[in-house]
Amino acid sequence: LYYLLSVRVIMPEWISSPLFMLVLWGIVVSYLFHFFAGVRHMIADFAHIHSLRYGRLSAFVVLFLTVCAAVGLLFFMIEI
């Protein structure tokens, strides 16, 4: 896996521009948030958990996971 991630690919210059990377990062982070929120709702629906306490806790967990994933993705994109 490390070998696959370390392979350099010849890309057009506009793909490595900071503006493109910022837009790509924003799109991926929004998809990650949507994924985590969807998992949150599926857990609530399947487990029949519908309380205000669970809603607030799970919303915090979704935001925390999204921020962690966004920072990790940012460091990964800077390395490339």
Side-chain angles (χ1 to χ4, degrees), residues 19-37:
L19 180 62
F20 179 79
M21 291 298 231
L22 181 66
V23 169
L24 182 65
W25 179 81
I27 290 171
V28 172
V29 167
S30 62
Y31 277 124
L32 285 171
F33 175 77
H34 187 77
F35 172 76
F36 291 140

Side-chain angles (χ1 to χ4, degrees), residues 37-80:
V39 170
R40 167 191 177 211
H41 284 284
M42 286 175 54
I43 291 172
D45 287 343
F46 290 142
H48 300 290
I49 304 172
H50 302 290
S51 67
L52 185 60
R53 182 174 180 221
Y54 172 77
R56 288 184 181 180
L57 177 65
S58 63
F60 176 75
V61 169
V62 165
L63 287 175
F64 178 76
L65 288 174
T66 304
V67 168
C68 289
V71 170
L73 179 66
L74 184 64
F75 283 129
F76 178 74
M77 290 177 79
I78 289 173
E79 290 259 333
I80 293 177

Side-chain angles (χ1 to χ4, degrees), residues 1-12:
L1 181 63
Y2 179 76
Y3 173 75
L4 293 175
L5 293 176
S6 64
V7 172
R8 297 290 179 194
V9 179
I10 299 173
M11 300 182 294

